[in-house]
Amino acid sequence: MKLIKLNAIASTSSFLKELAQDSPLENYTVVTTNEQTNGRGQQSNSWFSQSHKNLTVSVFIKDFDLTINQQKYLNFAISLAVFEVLLEEEIPKPTIKWPNDIMSANSKICGILIENSIKNQKIYATIVGIGLNINQTEFPDYLKNVTSLKKIKGIDFNIDTLLLKLIEKVKGKIQLLASKKYDVLENEYLKVLYKKNIPTMFKDSSDVLFMGIISGISASGNLLVELEDETIKEFGIKEISLA
């Protein structure tokens, strides 16, 4: 792996994207920074990270042979890699909140942004941005239900050590992807899916509240929710949220 360590940058994913446009990158080129001033999350959300406290990293990955309609398996692979790092660090009650927020109990501890490069209906490369809260213990008031490894365990963690562990986990899951072990990835993901099989209050894009039970993930990667009339409805990422 090629590791690029920066003191400060607006966004590791944006930096890596520009780098990929200028020259061919080797597989698992990694960019990490002590301070990210304009981190990006899902749905154009920003990602707040205190300087020198957390892991903000982006990884360029290629050579896994995936079609567009199989992209959910890439999401499964990356989410599971982070999940397993937390499991090994004995973080309590880790789960994956669809599509790829990583939780400890009911608090978010990690966000993931996956940006794919597509040609001829195939994903030929991806840039995976990961923001993992490690040693930060205070968060802005507008960030609700967030936590960190230190906040949970009460000790400082070595960020570089966790980075290397994370990249190894990512490589292992991408190997499953390259070997087309899609069922393995999906089964592992569904086992640890946040709120799966638990009656939950949701809110749709019109702010209408309704009860439902998460039953799985559709072929296109959307969330499957069983409604009160026992029908199962499919929701995209902008169509549903937890109330």
Side-chain angles (χ1 to χ4, degrees), residues 172-191:
K173 295 303 177 185
I174 293 297
Q175 184 56 49
L176 283 177
L177 195 69
S179 303
K180 304 188 185 304
K181 301 288 181 64
Y182 304 139
D183 287 347
V184 173
L185 289 168
E186 184 151 16
N187 288 337
E188 287 183 2
Y189 181 91
L190 291 176
K191 281 179 188 175

Side-chain angles (χ1 to χ4, degrees), residues 121-178:
Q121 300 299 305
K122 283 204 167 188
I123 302 170
Y124 66 89
T126 188
I127 292 174
V128 175
I130 298 171
L132 176 60
N133 295 332
I134 297 181
N135 292 323
Q136 182 172 342
T137 56
E138 296 182 0
F139 296 88
D141 290 340
Y142 68 85
L143 289 177
K144 306 297 183 186
N145 301 322
V146 294
T147 191
S148 68
L149 274 69
K150 183 176 180 178
K151 201 170 179 182
I152 293 168
K153 302 286 284 187
I155 57 173
D156 282 308
F157 286 80
N158 186 301
I159 295 173
D160 290 337
T161 300
L162 287 172
L163 169 62
L164 294 177
K165 182 178 286 190
L166 175 61
I167 298 304
E168 286 307 307
K169 291 291 185 184
V170 168
K171 285 182 177 180
K173 295 303 177 185
I174 293 297
Q175 184 56 49
L176 283 177
L177 195 69

Side-chain angles (χ1 to χ4, degrees), residues 25-75:
L25 295 183
E26 64 181 72
N27 206 2
Y28 296 104
T29 296
V30 177
V31 176
T32 185
T33 185
N34 292 321
E35 183 176 3
Q36 186 167 246
T37 58
N38 190 28
R40 295 180 293 119
Q42 292 282 2
Q43 302 181 66
S44 302
N45 291 331
S46 60
W47 179 261
F48 174 82
S49 180
Q50 196 173 344
S51 176
H52 290 79
K53 295 286 188 181
N54 304 313
L55 179 58
T56 48
V57 59
S58 294
V59 189
F60 175 82
I61 308 171
K62 61 181 180 179
D63 303 333
F64 46 79
D65 187 31
L66 208 62
T67 62
I68 293 174
N69 60 10
Q70 295 171 321
Q71 59 185 321
K72 71 172 184 177
Y73 300 112
L74 174 59
N75 181 58

Side-chain angles (χ1 to χ4, degrees), residues 199-211:
T200 303
M201 185 69 72
F202 295 94
K203 182 168 63 175
D204 67 16
S205 55
S206 301
D207 289 336
V208 175
L209 298 174
F210 64 95
M211 286 293 295

